[in-house]
Amino acid sequence: MEEPSDAERILMTRVETMLKEMKWPSRVTRKNIGSDPNRRAFALGKVYQYDRPRELVESRFNRVYPELYSALTRLMRLHAPTFRFNSIQLNANVHTEPHYDTNNCGPSYAIGLGRFTGGGLVLYPDKASDGVRLRNKRRWVHFNGATTLHGSIPVTSGTRYAIIFFTRKTPGARSPRRSGSSRARRRSPRTPRHQRLR
């Protein structure tokens, strides 16, 4: 995991306030993000336009939340100025089972914001792995979601905002080789007691 700078922490506080005070979109179309009625999710940047053979277009939320979009883009530029991305996924209290991000191209940066308990990102780096649980509250995790099996831990209280910066692949591009296995894909993201939390 990567620690943020003081400038990043100041901007994170501003982003947290925006996320807490704004009205989140109520429609949830993704089927792999759990059943918590309080969950919310949407994307900024580029998204797929499914009625135009999966063409990449600007998200309509770029215009709805321009200040948030600008702040998040600046936050990523502060942390990793050369990191390239075209989309930002925002999740509130979303719990995902182990999965691959099949529409991603290249690595992602993920961070958790907000006041909450529980939660966290779980990575399954290889077939034999039982999962590495990462407490990434205000800490950056750099990983490739297209090739590394990953999921999340449910939030037990409060609201966890998971923010993921990534590149949405060009429609028709081939998916990269993956780690893990079909057996690992069905596992729930539990961590053995002896495994140290990072």
Side-chain angles (χ1 to χ4, degrees):
M1 285 192 289
E2 302 171 16
E3 296 291 338
S5 65
D6 290 342
E8 289 171 66
R9 290 189 182 95
I10 291 170
L11 188 51
M12 284 177 191
T13 299
R14 182 180 163 211
V15 168
E16 284 177 336
T17 300
M18 284 190 255
L19 294 173
K20 181 179 178 181
E21 295 178 351
M22 72 184 220
K23 182 177 180 180
W24 281 64
S26 59
R27 187 178 179 194
V28 175
T29 56
R30 291 175 61 199
K31 300 183 185 303
N32 67 333
I33 62 173
S35 58
D36 184 336
N38 296 315
R39 76 196 190 286
R40 294 289 182 265
F42 70 98
L44 295 168
K46 296 284 188 179
V47 296
Y48 288 126
Q49 184 70 38
Y50 288 95
D51 61 353
R52 295 186 202 167
R54 293 175 62 83
E55 179 182 341
L56 278 175
V57 298
E58 294 291 325
S59 169
R60 63 189 176 92
F61 296 116
N62 296 352
R63 297 186 303 273
V64 178
Y65 309 112
E67 187 179 359
L68 176 64
Y69 188 22
S70 176
L72 288 172
T73 300
R74 183 166 173 253
L75 181 62
M76 189 73 260
R77 291 289 168 250
L78 282 172
H79 184 73
T82 61
F83 178 70
R84 298 184 68 179
F85 64 96
N86 65 10
S87 192
I88 307 170
Q89 179 66 39
L90 294 99
N91 298 330
N93 281 6
V94 166
H95 166 228
T96 58
E97 294 296 329
H99 67 283
Y100 294 101
D101 295 323
T102 57
N103 292 323
N104 288 22
C105 177
S108 301
Y109 263 108
I111 194 164
L113 299 179
R115 294 188 176 186
F116 61 90
T117 57
L121 178 66
V122 183
L123 302 182
Y124 302 88
D126 55 58
K127 293 179 181 179
S129 172
D130 286 323
V132 178
R133 179 177 173 179
L134 303 172
R135 290 182 174 173
N136 67 323
K137 186 174 187 176
R138 288 196 165 213
R139 298 166 81 187
W140 296 99
V141 177
H142 190 230
F143 72 105
N144 192 324
T147 59
T148 302
L149 193 69
H150 62 284
S152 62
I153 299 295
V155 171
T156 54
S157 67
T159 302
R160 176 179 183 260
Y161 304 111
I163 305 171
I164 305 95
F165 298 79
F166 66 100
T167 295
R168 224 176 271 273
K169 72 181 179 184
T170 304
R174 295 180 63 183
S175 297
R177 296 181 67 181
R178 299 169 173 176
S179 65
S181 66
S182 58
R183 178 173 170 239
R185 211 171 291 131
R186 292 191 296 269
R187 280 198 309 240
S188 60
R190 290 178 298 188
T191 304
R193 289 183 182 178
H194 66 275
Q195 191 161 3
R196 182 171 63 89
L197 296 179
R198 298 181 182 182

